[in-house]
Structures are given as C-alpha cells and as structure tokens.
Amino acid sequence: MTTPLTLIATLIAKAGSEAELEETLQRLQGPSRAEADCIQYDFHRDAEQARTFHMIEQWRTEAALTAHEATPHFQAALPFIERAAEKLTITKMYRIS
C-alpha cells in the first residue's frame, strides 16, 4: 500500500489582497474535495498572522496531486493566486507513523 502524500501550502497575501486570496482559495475547496483521489483539502487562516493562509491537503499519490494541479478549477485560480499572494511555500511529506 502506498502512503498518501500530504501537502501544506502556506500563502501570504499582499497587503490589501487578503479578501481576494481568501475567496479564491475557498472556491478551490469544493471541487478539489470532489476529486476521486483527494483525501483531505482543508483551508485555514493563521491564528497569529492575519494575511497568512494554510492549505492542508492529502492525496492518494503524487500522480493524484499532479492531476489536481491540471484541473480546470485549479488552473483558473492560478492567476488570482499569483496576483494576490506575496509569497507561496509548499511542503510535501509522507507520514512515517
């Protein structure tokens, strides 16, 4: 059995673009959760940094993540994310225990 891939995307909104980034990320949640190989797709605002958002995702395989990134809903969100985000950090990991 393959261990699922966990991804944490941390996005910092440009000053004044917090609402646009939040709305864009929220629009991704429903269609992404509906993907067959999506196990988890949760959206959070940082408790201490109001302009910082975290997406916590879990996919059955790396190929499932790649397929997600090619979906129309993900591709449509990219220009908004690029415009509204000051910084994007992605961490991929596999659970050990």
Side-chain angles (χ1 to χ4, degrees), residues 13 24 26 33 41 50 55 60 65 72 76 80-81 87 90-91:
T24 299
Q26 283 184 325
R33 284 181 171 173
Y41 202 92
M55 302 297 294
R60 294 201 190 285
L65 173 61
F80 295 99
I81 292 169
K87 183 176 181 184
I90 295 176
T91 304

Side-chain angles (χ1 to χ4, degrees), residues 8-96:
I8 299 175
T10 299
L11 300 97
I12 301 173
K14 292 177 183 172
S17 296
E18 298 90 346
E20 179 182 8
L21 185 58
E22 182 175 349
E23 290 168 14
T24 299
L25 297 174
Q26 283 184 325
R27 282 194 306 269
L28 279 172
Q29 196 169 30
S32 298
R33 284 181 171 173
E35 293 177 47
D37 290 320
C38 178
I39 298 168
Q40 177 184 7
Y41 202 92
D42 295 332
F43 176 48
H44 302 264
R45 181 188 292 267
D46 195 279
E48 297 176 354
Q49 304 294 322
R51 290 181 19 212
T52 301
F53 300 94
H54 304 280
M55 302 297 294
I56 301 172
E57 308 173 23
Q58 195 170 57
W59 299 93
R60 294 201 190 285
T61 63
E62 179 91 31
L65 173 61
T66 301
H68 162 69
E69 292 170 343
T71 61
H73 59 270
F74 186 85
Q75 289 296 312
L78 284 179
F80 295 99
I81 292 169
E82 290 170 356
R83 182 175 58 239
E86 178 177 289
K87 183 176 181 184
L88 167 63
T89 305
I90 295 176
T91 304
K92 296 178 185 178
M93 63 196 89
Y94 292 101
R95 184 179 334 181
I96 294 173

